[in-house]
């Protein structure tokens, strides 16, 4: 198991290298640079800027110096946030995004899983239809719409009631400031997890081994919890890999709407400002996270399914 | 020469046989799909929405980009002026904008999915059919892309090369093909050793023609199910890009753009959010119901 | 006194393509210490008859009629009552050993939980009893297999584990669905010997669902032949095998290779395909494939009536009995 873990990590390294390489050349090939602002910059100033950021060096030289810096944890200076290095911005934004993302995933599992499984156990009843319908709504309505609706509801309509919540800002991660963003982030995942676990539980209930368990005279509860549940969990676990990537996308929206200083917001800002180094930094960190999440998911899968043996 | 004739006759007979089988399979599926009320109603609604998006704007009194200069503010529905669902905050007809926006969103959805389909089916069928090292290589590549947050790259591409409609569906299609490739590969692996493929191979069909004429038609069922489930995902991704300001540009519009505009002035004019939101939600619901219905109809497990 | 008494059992499934009768009006019984063989092609309803009896029909299935086990009516019994009987006094051994065991649980645990549930044994006692039963069903190295996951066992071993699971609580009746199909011949003989021993020494009753007529001939006391959801002929093994009356039974017997056949004899087959339950032929379901079909066969369905010492459903025999 541990050797498998080590090997997966080792495969992760070239993947990450490919991301860095691809990102780097994509950025450098881009038409228009970070200094093409609305106001034309005088040529001398532009030349200075280009020299300062080594934009005139040969491309491969720029790449290797970037790679070398990267290995030392230096993502370079931000083009737009002149007073900060990208490393500082990421160090500041990453914990915020991780906390929110993990809280959202945790809540999504906590709510989505029981919803999906109880729906499967009462298939074709009102409860089942309600869960299926609600989860489809959760999937279909974009995050920025639910976000704005919740801001309106809790920030405006419920103003001056005990239910009022801060509709934006981070306030150094005060609990009240987290409630809305985490909820908005979690909603589609509650829906996805409910949908996936419902489908997989229905499938598990049809399996021959569940029939065997029932033929043994085991109580229904034991049949479900001991025999069916683990199999039904597999697809949910598999989903958690891509879910990490979705959460990253979701944080871009949520952090922008709620003005939260996380890496999602930095990425959006960076992309719109053509802040090459910042965008690359966030992309690399994000990719690293998704790669690690996938490895963790594979490990959990291995624990759940004895058939997956890591030789 | 005679052996050549023999080959073509065989292939012809084989195809005829496959066709007979295929047709009855599709007829069966169609019958089951129609008996699935949710899927059937969804198909009708979707057809109406699509038709309205394509044709109705020409019949409306106001064009989607025309400003009603007498009423340059959000106005509730007014039948006398021909604003059946009112106007947006700058006095443009909301119904016309929603329909034209739907046209763009559906177009992006369908075109991007077609791109994904083309790449996914090709890669999946080739990997599955050839197997061995080619399969290993292609699937490792798919695995690699799976572990990368691809939306980041779509955004980077959109930023770099401008808010270009063609680029948008190419970029989205280029990230949505992975699952398709995996599904098609799995199907191809199970088809590969079926008798009719062996027969086609024995009668001297080239690899390309076997993939194109025997493998691809037989994975079509699964692919169609996946297509109906991918289109709504693409429409959602488009709305996400619009939220970032990377979608289609003014005065052209899409459901994503409209939702974003509507969400911003939700408090003052909830109607500008509700109208496009209802259209989009209903459409995406329909796609999901049709996809589920198709899966049940084509899945022999449930019979 | 019949241990299991099935009267007019009908099983219907609601499918996307309409309602399908898998079992129609089946009546049969099993006496204490007796072995009843059920013979038929796949899709003849032989498995579903007993799934219904066990209360294990799929969600879209519905059973009507009556199934009595001892003093209990099984069809109307609630889940709690069923669970005191199933796996305890009434056990079912499933075919398809590849999928009948829970993949993520060790074999041992899947065995001991039956004993803990019905006998209230502690872990050590349950383990000892389970290992002893594995040894009895000819599992080599039972202690080692006890620790394994199903996917680590061969198909034949899994089949024996499933059999052991059914026998653990010393049931009064074991319904065995193709219990020997996945086994090679020597193991098959040992398992059949075990069944015979249980029958003779402990008075355990068996229902053997199979298409292997050799197994039925060697082990069963009585046999019922099913076709398209109905019993077409039933009687004692000696009578049915010596003088089959229904053309379908005759066909089945003719399909079976016999040791005393000269090697040059060609095996016969029954022409045609098993019928589509959604679209059964009119009259006698077997008539399109029947070599002796005549005028009434496509028109009217023959009832299962006594003919000599056996029951059978064929106009040919009804006429002979009448004349």
């Amino acid at each position: 198991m541990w050797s498998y873990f080590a090997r997966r990590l080792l495969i992760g390294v070239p993947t990450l290298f490919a991301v860095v390489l691809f990102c780097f050349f994509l950025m450098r090939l881009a038409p228009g640079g970070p200094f093409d602002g609305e106001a034309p910059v005088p040529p001398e100033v532009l030349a200075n800027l280009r020299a300062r950021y080594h934009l005139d060096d040969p491309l491969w030289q720029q790449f290797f110096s970037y790679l070398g810096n990267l290995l030392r944890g230096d993502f370079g200076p931000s083009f737009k946030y002149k007073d900060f290095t990208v490393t500082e911005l990421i160090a500041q934004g990453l914990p915020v995004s991780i906390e929110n993302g993990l809280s959202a995933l945790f809540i999504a599992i906590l709510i989505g899983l029981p919803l999906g499984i109880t729906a499967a156990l009462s298939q074709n009843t009102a409860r089942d239809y309600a869960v299926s319908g609600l989860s489809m709504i959760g999937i279909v309505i974009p995050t920025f719409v639910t976000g704005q609706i919740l801001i309106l509801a809790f920030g405006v309509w419920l103003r001056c009631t005990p239910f009022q919540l801060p509709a934006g800002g981070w306030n150094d991660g005060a609990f009240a400031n987290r409630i809305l963003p985490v909820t908005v982030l979690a909603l589609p995942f509650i829906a996805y997890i409910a949908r996936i676990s419902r489908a997989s539980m229905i499938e598990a209930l049809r399996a021959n081994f569940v029939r065997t368990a029932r033929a043994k005279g085991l109580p229904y509860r034991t049949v479900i919890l001991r025999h069916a549940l683990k199999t039904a969990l597999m697809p949910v676990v598999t989903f958690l890999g891509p879910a990490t990537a979705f959460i990253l996308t979701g944080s871009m929206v949520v952090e922008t709407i709620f003005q939260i200083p996380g890496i999602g917001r930095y990425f959006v800002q960076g992309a719109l400002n053509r802040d090459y180094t910042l965008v690359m930094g966030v992309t690399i960190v994000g990719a690293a996270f998704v790669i690690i999440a996938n490895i963790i998911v594979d490990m959990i899968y291995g624990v759940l399914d004895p058939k997956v043996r890591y030789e | 020469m005679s052996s050549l004739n023999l080959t073509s006759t065989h292939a012809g007979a084989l195809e005829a046989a496959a066709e007979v089988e295929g047709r009855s399979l599709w007829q069966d599926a169609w019958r089951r799909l129609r008996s699935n009320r949710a899927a059937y109603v969804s198909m009708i609604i979707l057809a109406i929405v699509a038709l309205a998006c394509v044709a109705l704007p020409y019949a409306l009194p106001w064009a989607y980009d025309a400003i009603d200069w007498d009423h340059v503010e959000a106005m509730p529905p007014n039948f006398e002026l021909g604003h059946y669902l009112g106007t947006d905050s700058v006095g443009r007809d909301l119904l016309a904008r929603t329909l034209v926006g739907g046209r763009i969103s559906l177009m992006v959805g369908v075109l991007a999915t077609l791109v994904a389909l083309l790449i996914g089916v090709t890669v999946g069928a080739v990997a599955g059919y050839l197997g061995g090292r080619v399969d290993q290589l292609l699937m490792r590549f798919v695995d690699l892309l799976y572990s990368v947050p691809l939306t980041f790259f779509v955004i980077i591409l959109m930023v770099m090369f401008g808010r270009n409609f063609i680029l948008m569906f190419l970029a989205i299609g280029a990230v949505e093909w992975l699952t398709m490739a995996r599904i098609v590969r799995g199907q191809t692996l199970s088809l590969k050793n079926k008798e009719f493929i062996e027969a086609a191979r024995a009668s001297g069909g080239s690899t390309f023609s076997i993939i194109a004429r025997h493998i691809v038609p037989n994975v079509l069922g699964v692919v169609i199910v996946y297509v109906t489930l991918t289109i709504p995902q693409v429409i959602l991704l488009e709305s996400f890009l619009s939220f970032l300001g990377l979608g289609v540009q003014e005065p052209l519009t899409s459901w994503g753009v409209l939702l974003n505009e509507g969400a911003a002035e939700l408090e003052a004019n909830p109607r500008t959010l509700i109208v496009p939101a209802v259209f989009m939600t209903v459409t995406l619901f329909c796609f999901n119901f049709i996809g589920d219905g198709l899966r049940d109809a084509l899945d022999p497990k449930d019979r | 006194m019949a241990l299991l008494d099935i009267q007019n059992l009908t099983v219907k499934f609601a499918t996307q393509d309409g309602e399908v009768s898998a079992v129609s009006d089946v009546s049969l019984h099993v006496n204490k210490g007796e072995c009843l063989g059920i013979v038929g092609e796949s899709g003849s309803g032989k498995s579903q008859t007993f799934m219904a009896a066990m209360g294990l029909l799929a969600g879209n299935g519905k059973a009507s009629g009556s199934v009595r086990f001892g003093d209990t009516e099984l069809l109307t019994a609630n889940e709690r009552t069923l669970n005191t009987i199933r796996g305890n006094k009434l056990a079912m051994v499933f075919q398809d050993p590849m999928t009948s065991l829970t993949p993520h649980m060790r074999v041992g645990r899947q065995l001991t939980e039956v004993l803990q549930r019905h006998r209230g044994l502690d872990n050590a006692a349950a383990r000892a009893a389970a290992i002893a039963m594995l040894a009895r069903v000819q599992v080599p190295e039972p202690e080692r297999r006890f620790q394994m996951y199903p996917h680590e066992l061969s198909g034949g071993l899994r089949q024996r584990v499933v059999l052991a699971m059914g026998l653990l609580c010393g049931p009064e009746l074991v319904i065995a669905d193709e219990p020997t199909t996945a086994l090679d011949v020597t193991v098959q003989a040992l398992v059949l010997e075990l069944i015979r021993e249980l029958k003779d020494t402990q008075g355990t009753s068996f229902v053997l669902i199979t298409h292997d007529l050799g197994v039925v001939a060697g082990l069963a006391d009585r046999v019922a032949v099913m076709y398209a959801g109905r019993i077409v002929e039933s009687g004692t093994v000696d009578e049915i095998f010596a003088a089959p009356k229904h053309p379908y039974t005759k066909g089945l017997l003719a399909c079976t290779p016999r040791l005393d056949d000269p090697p040059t004899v060609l095996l016969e087959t029954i022409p045609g395909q098993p019928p589509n339950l959604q679209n059964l032929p009119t009259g006698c379901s077997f008539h399109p494939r029947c070599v002796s079909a005549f005028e009434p066969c496509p028109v009217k369905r023959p009832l299962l009536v006594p003919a000599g010492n056996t029951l059978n459903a064929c106009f040919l025999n009804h006429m002979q009995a009448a004349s």
Side-chain angles (χ1 to χ4, degrees), chain B residues 94-152:
Chain B
L94 196 56
L95 179 59
R97 286 188 73 67
T98 303
L99 291 175
V100 170
R103 193 192 285 172
I104 299 293
S105 283
L106 285 171
M107 207 147 89
V108 172
V110 171
L111 290 175
T113 304
L114 280 181
V115 173
L117 183 81
L118 206 67
I119 307 175
V121 171
T122 311
V123 171
V126 166
Y129 185 75
L130 293 182
R133 207 169 291 163
V134 181
D135 182 30
Q136 283 278 317
L137 198 73
L138 286 174
M139 285 303 119
R140 282 298 84 74
F141 182 60
V142 169
D143 286 348
L144 188 143
L145 288 181
Y146 249 115
S147 61
V148 163
L150 289 168
T151 333
F152 282 57

Side-chain angles (χ1 to χ4, degrees), chain A residues 221-246:
Chain A
R221 170 187 283 270
T222 313
V223 172
I224 300 301
L225 293 180
R226 200 184 284 164
H227 291 268
L229 189 60
K230 235 180 185 179
T231 312
L233 283 181
M234 301 288 188
V236 179
V237 171
T238 313
F239 169 71
L240 292 182
T244 326
F246 293 153

Side-chain angles (χ1 to χ4, degrees), chain A residues 254-272:
Chain A
V254 168
E255 289 172 5
T256 304
I257 292 181
F258 290 94
Q259 294 132 37
I260 296 170
I263 55 167
R265 181 144 174 258
Y266 287 135
F267 180 84
V268 173
Q269 298 288 318
L272 298 179

Side-chain angles (χ1 to χ4, degrees), chain A residues 189-250:
Chain A
F189 292 93
I190 295 175
Y192 271 117
I193 289 178
R195 206 170 140 90
I196 293 169
S197 56
R198 175 183 175 272
S200 63
M201 192 66 188
I202 287 175
E203 179 121 359
L205 287 176
R206 282 190 203 151
N208 283 346
F209 62 81
V210 167
R211 192 182 59 193
T212 309
R214 291 179 60 205
K216 288 198 267 190
L218 299 176
Y220 188 61
R221 170 187 283 270
T222 313
V223 172
I224 300 301
L225 293 180
R226 200 184 284 164
H227 291 268
L229 189 60
K230 235 180 185 179
T231 312
L233 283 181
M234 301 288 188
V236 179
V237 171
T238 313
F239 169 71
L240 292 182
T244 326
F246 293 153
I247 284 268
L248 279 171
T249 320

Side-chain angles (χ1 to χ4, degrees), chain B residues 246-262:
Chain B
L246 298 173
V248 292
Q249 293 304 292
E250 289 283 342
L252 203 60
T253 190
S254 73
W255 281 339
V257 172
L258 289 170
L259 285 185
N260 197 30
E261 288 171 3

Side-chain angles (χ1 to χ4, degrees), chain B residues 169-295:
Chain B
F169 68 75
L170 283 180
I172 296 178
V175 305
E176 291 281 350
W177 62 273
L178 300 173
T179 314
M180 186 88 76
R182 280 194 177 170
I183 294 173
V184 172
R185 173 179 173 269
Q187 291 285 312
T188 309
L189 281 179
S190 66
L191 277 176
K192 198 163 121 181
N193 297 317
K194 290 270 166 67
E195 289 81 356
F196 71 98
I197 301 289
E198 299 224 336
R201 198 162 23 206
S203 52
S206 72
T207 303
F208 175 79
S209 82
I210 292 174
I211 291 179
R213 300 173 69 171
H214 298 289
I215 301 275
V216 171
N218 280 289
V219 298
L220 224 56
V222 220
V223 166
I224 286 177
V225 172
Y226 189 67
V227 160
T228 50
L229 297 174
T230 302
I231 292 175
Q233 281 176 24
V234 172
I235 293 178
L236 277 174
L237 189 52
E238 185 274 335
S239 79
F240 168 68
L241 291 176
S242 299
F243 165 76
L244 297 179
L246 298 173
V248 292
Q249 293 304 292
E250 289 283 342
L252 203 60
T253 190
S254 73
W255 281 339
V257 172
L258 289 170
L259 285 185
N260 197 30
E261 288 171 3
E265 47 181 303
L266 177 59
E267 196 180 349
N269 305 304
R271 192 175 30 85
T272 53
L273 175 66
I274 292 169
V275 170
V278 166
F279 269 81
M280 181 163 128
T281 316
V282 166
T283 305
L284 300 196
F285 257 74
C286 288
F287 273 116
N288 278 309
F289 280 128
I290 295 170
D292 287 354
L294 271 171
R295 183 164 38 201

